[in-house]
Amino acid sequence: MGFDDENAIKQALSLSNNDINEAVAILTNEKLPKITSLVTTTNSSSSTNSDNDVLMADANNLTLVPVNDDAGSSNPLEFPVRMLGSLESTLFTDNWSIPYKREESLGRLLTSTIALLREGLAELDVNCKQFLDRFIPEVYKKLLDSAPVNKWNAEIQQGVYNMTCMVVELIAIRLGQTGVPEPLLTTLALIFNSDNMFHSKNIHKVWDRAYYQEKLGNSNLFTINLDTMGWLLNFINIFGLHKGFDALKCQLEKTNDMHEFNLLLKPVATCCQFLNRELIVKEFEPSFQRIFDTVKKLDKEDFKDKNVGKVFDLLLTMKKLSASLWPLELDKLHELHLNVVLHMLKYHHFNSKMNSLKELCKLNETMSSSTIVSKTMIKEEKLYEWIITQRILSLAVEGNIDQVQYCEKIKTIVEFIADRIRNEEISALWNMQFNKSMSIIENLYKIIGIAATKFSTEQLEYLLEQIIQTWNNPSFKLHDKLVGLLSMIGRDARSNKTCSKILEALWELKNRPGLTRPLLLLIYSEHLNVLNGGRLPRETAKREYIKKCCDDFKMSAGSSIAIAS
């Protein structure tokens, strides 16, 4: 057995600490070396007084991170493990620090990793892989989007820019290889996000247009021309210059996984308003259409998957892309979004229904919390109409309403559409209680009670008709639950009219024939609870209640009278 690649042999010997057997195992992919220790003890006497060598969490108290030269190794294919240890000891702490010069640990680690990636060796080195998967996301989250960014001086900002240029090149190279690197794609999306603190701080930087025109040609620039966000435009063009967009396109063509689709599209969607539309549309339109068709073909088997909910993250990313690149396709995406929600809700599988309800709640929360209407949002009126037309509430309660978390999601939807629920759906909801377990009935009453607090007068009257019909049914035995439902509606009512209607309904129930003494006392008790907890002016309502009691006493001597104390 022989090995021809001299660089690979040197790398294996380095990783195995010159153990021949271990090196052979590495070269034959039988064994990957374990990291022995990433934490090194730093020697304070080796530090200098320069305040420009590192970025500290506290910009007003910059201190030096000692540079470890890994025994002065100049071989770019030998990963600097000791420098990784040095970086780890200062990165994963509250009072973190990150060197930003090319000759220091982060720059050396990036340089070595780029070299290893070009040779296809990075994934074989467990330390290098840790740097890719664990260190890079943490480093750039702190360098680009943490509070201290706003305090750093111009030299430090330039240093961060240089380190970011290097990692953009690194990510572009890695994307051209096998596998979808989730941590790196997440980092790339952060780098391309114009709202992060680093870009906000450096918004007025000018981009190197002449340089990229020379390298790419004017028609092949990856960005539009702007007077602001220059460093972001540079990052995007660096990524394109190193074939990053080509690599994204190839990765998209190789996968059918919803999560991977989203990971690969998200960096593009994040910066799409800055992109050369003509160039990007030409590159990504076939993939975009294929993903659209893939989502459209999702079926019951797909809905069983516990991760199927990630399709909604993908759809949001696709909408962001479409808003800038394919604006005429945006309505189709909204329609596809709602169709996926509907099909998942119709399928009798808990995971499918739960994911559907979660997404509906998210759509509602987005509309409620957003002060600016985004193109990616489904219009409120359209969502209202769709929920009512498709009888979403009825479909939802056909599911696992004995499950607390499932029921909570339905309550959120009910609060959103309560005042628009049609009579036939109220009737359908009410009839679902029959021949069901007690837990289901109680949860159903809670849902109806929440809706009823926002009902119009007409809706409430229709519900009260349903309640009275059920009360009069000889086979019905849960009259105490009906009293509790009425009390809940009255106590939580949003309007005086609703509260008054509930008090009238309870008062009428006490005159129903065949009431047991405990049930009669319960009606009186809940009537008082509504009086004390409802929205009606308390003293006026109590006087009215006392008058009713007195009138009853005159008409029927010996009646039980409950008077608020």
Side-chain angles (χ1 to χ4, degrees):
M1 175 173 60
F3 302 99
D4 299 327
D5 191 333
E6 184 178 346
N7 287 330
I9 294 170
K10 289 180 179 178
Q11 175 75 352
L13 286 169
S14 173
L15 292 172
S16 63
N17 293 320
N18 293 320
D19 185 306
I20 299 297
N21 292 328
E22 288 235 359
V24 170
I26 292 168
L27 289 166
T28 55
N29 290 325
E30 293 174 4
K31 183 177 181 182
L32 290 176
K34 293 182 179 178
I35 247 178
T36 53
S37 174
L38 285 180
V39 180
T40 59
T41 304
T42 56
N43 185 354
S44 59
S45 64
S46 66
S47 64
T48 71
N49 294 323
S50 170
D51 67 353
N52 292 322
D53 294 326
V54 295
L55 301 179
M56 300 298 296
D58 181 359
N60 297 319
N61 184 27
L62 295 173
T63 60
L64 177 72
V65 176
V67 176
N68 195 326
D69 64 0
D70 267 47
S73 173
S74 60
N75 182 4
L77 295 181
E78 184 176 332
F79 188 76
V81 179
R82 291 171 65 189
M83 283 195 170
L84 188 65
S86 175
L87 180 60
E88 182 184 53
S89 66
T90 60
L91 174 63
F92 298 100
T93 63
D94 291 335
N95 190 31
W96 52 267
S97 59
I98 303 171
Y100 63 85
K101 290 187 175 180
R102 290 178 185 272
E103 66 272 16
E104 294 178 342
S105 60
L106 178 58
R108 294 275 296 276
L109 288 163
L110 289 168
T111 300
S112 177
T113 302
I114 289 171
L116 287 167
L117 282 168
R118 291 191 186 283
E119 296 297 323
L121 298 173
E123 298 292 321
L124 295 177
D125 188 325
V126 68
N127 298 316
C128 183
K129 192 159 189 340
Q130 272 214 41
F131 178 64
L132 290 168
D133 294 344
R134 178 171 172 245
F135 283 71
I136 285 179
E138 186 68 18
V139 165
Y140 287 93
K141 183 170 63 176
K142 287 174 175 173
L143 291 185
L144 300 178
D145 208 25
S146 62
V149 172
N150 289 318
K151 301 177 182 178
W152 295 333
N153 63 31
E155 181 180 345
I156 294 177
Q157 301 290 345
Q158 183 67 48
V160 174
Y161 168 77
N162 294 337
M163 293 298 100
T164 308
C165 289
M166 293 181 73
V167 84
V168 169
E169 177 185 351
L170 181 154
I171 294 171
I173 297 168
R174 172 60 187 86
L175 282 169
Q177 300 174 5
T178 305
V180 177
E182 180 170 349
L184 294 183
L185 284 165
T186 302
T187 300
L188 185 64
L190 173 62
I191 293 169
F192 284 174
N193 184 356
S194 61
D195 293 328
N196 71 41
M197 290 189 177
F198 181 76
H199 289 314
S200 297
K201 173 73 174 178
N202 297 285
I203 189 171
H204 296 297
K205 295 292 183 182
V206 179
W207 71 298
D208 301 322
R209 183 180 182 185
Y211 174 81
Y212 292 109
Q213 278 180 326
E214 180 183 347
K215 289 288 184 181
L216 297 165
N218 193 51
S219 61
N220 291 320
L221 289 171
F222 289 91
T223 58
I224 58 176
N225 184 35
L226 291 175
D227 295 328
T228 59
M229 287 291 169
W231 279 358
L232 173 56
L233 300 185
N234 284 348
F235 293 152
I236 296 170
N237 280 294
I238 290 170
F239 186 69
L241 186 62
H242 290 283
K243 307 298 181 184
F245 288 105
D246 292 337
L248 283 176
K249 176 186 171 183
C250 290
Q251 291 277 14
L252 285 167
E253 291 169 352
K254 294 175 184 177
T255 186
N256 284 307
D257 182 83
M258 297 296 153
H259 183 50
E260 290 185 353
F261 280 148
N262 186 47
L263 286 172
L264 293 162
L265 286 179
K266 197 166 185 178
V268 186
T270 303
C271 65
C272 57
Q273 69 269 37
F274 302 102
L275 296 174
N276 179 343
R277 182 177 179 275
E278 184 177 349
L279 185 65
I280 298 299
V281 166
K282 181 181 176 182
E283 288 292 315
F284 286 91
E285 188 164 27
S287 294
F288 189 86
Q289 186 59 51
R290 187 174 80 86
I291 296 170
F292 183 96
D293 293 338
T294 302
V295 174
K296 194 174 181 179
K297 292 176 183 176
L298 289 175
D299 57 22
K300 293 180 180 180
E301 289 304 312
D302 298 307
F303 295 155
K304 290 180 182 179
D305 192 316
K306 65 179 181 180
N307 293 319
V308 71
K310 293 185 183 295
V311 70
F312 297 120
D313 296 329
L314 170 61
L315 285 166
L316 179 57
T317 298
M318 291 177 72
K319 287 181 188 182
K320 289 178 180 178
L321 271 174
S322 182
S324 293
L325 305 179
W326 297 281
L328 297 179
E329 301 297 312
L330 201 50
D331 286 341
K332 291 181 182 178
L333 280 167
H334 288 322
E335 184 178 345
L336 177 62
H337 193 165
L338 293 177
N339 281 339
V340 172
V341 172
L342 179 61
H343 291 150
M344 290 175 71
L345 190 59
K346 284 183 175 179
Y347 183 42
H348 294 287
H349 187 278
F350 177 75
N351 185 60
S352 179
K353 282 183 169 289
M354 191 66 184
N355 276 307
S356 177
L357 291 181
K358 284 180 180 178
E359 184 61 14
L360 273 173
C361 292
K362 190 184 294 184
L363 289 174
N364 176 35
E365 289 165 7
T366 300
M367 283 190 297
S368 302
S369 61
S370 179
T371 56
I372 301 174
V373 178
S374 166
K375 290 181 181 179
T376 61
M377 291 169 53
I378 298 173
K379 292 180 180 178
E380 186 175 20
E381 193 59 36
K382 181 179 176 64
L383 186 59
Y384 267 128
E385 182 182 349
W386 178 79
I387 291 175
I388 299 301
T389 303
Q390 298 296 336
R391 298 180 64 251
I392 295 300
L393 188 55
S394 294
L395 289 172
V397 296
E398 288 173 359
N400 304 70
I401 60 171
D402 56 329
Q403 301 282 339
V404 175
Q405 57 178 342
Y406 187 89
C407 225
E408 289 300 318
K409 300 299 179 187
I410 296 178
K411 289 176 186 177
T412 301
I413 298 168
V414 164
E415 289 178 342
F416 178 59
I417 62 164
D419 59 344
R420 303 196 184 200
I421 298 176
R422 297 170 181 169
N423 286 350
E424 56 265 31
E425 192 150 25
I426 294 173
S427 180
L429 284 172
W430 186 254
N431 291 331
M432 283 179 183
Q433 68 180 291
F434 302 119
N435 301 317
K436 296 295 192 300
S437 68
M438 184 58 67
S439 63
I440 290 178
I441 293 172
E442 288 177 349
N443 285 336
L444 191 60
Y445 279 9
K446 288 177 183 177
I447 292 169
I448 293 171
I450 289 171
T453 60
K454 297 179 71 175
F455 275 177
S456 65
T457 302
E458 293 75 16
Q459 287 174 305
L460 184 62
E461 287 178 351
Y462 186 80
L463 175 62
L464 291 174
E465 289 176 11
Q466 302 298 308
I467 292 174
I468 297 303
Q469 287 179 15
T470 301
W471 183 283
N472 293 335
N473 187 334
S475 63
F476 186 78
K477 306 298 181 185
L478 301 176
H479 297 88
D480 58 326
K481 299 296 181 185
L482 293 182
V483 174
L485 171 61
L486 289 168
S487 176
M488 178 174 65
I489 297 170
R491 283 181 279 112
D492 297 336
R494 305 285 181 92
S495 69
N496 291 348
K497 284 185 178 180
T498 298
C499 193
S500 296
K501 282 281 185 184
I502 295 302
L503 286 171
E504 290 175 13
L506 285 168
W507 190 259
E508 290 176 6
L509 285 180
K510 77 174 183 58
N511 295 321
R512 296 280 164 176
L515 296 181
T516 62
R517 181 175 179 80
L519 185 57
L520 180 62
L521 291 175
L522 178 64
I523 293 172
Y524 278 129
S525 175
E526 295 300 347
H527 196 287
L528 278 172
N529 286 337
V530 174
L531 278 171
N532 291 327
R535 297 178 63 89
L536 290 174
R538 190 169 177 181
E539 294 305 318
T540 303
K542 281 191 173 184
R543 283 196 295 270
E544 180 65 23
Y545 179 40
I546 292 171
K547 183 177 180 300
K548 283 179 178 287
C549 288
C550 291
D551 290 343
D552 267 15
F553 181 75
K554 292 175 184 177
M555 293 173 61
S556 176
S559 293
S560 300
I561 302 176
I563 300 178
S565 57

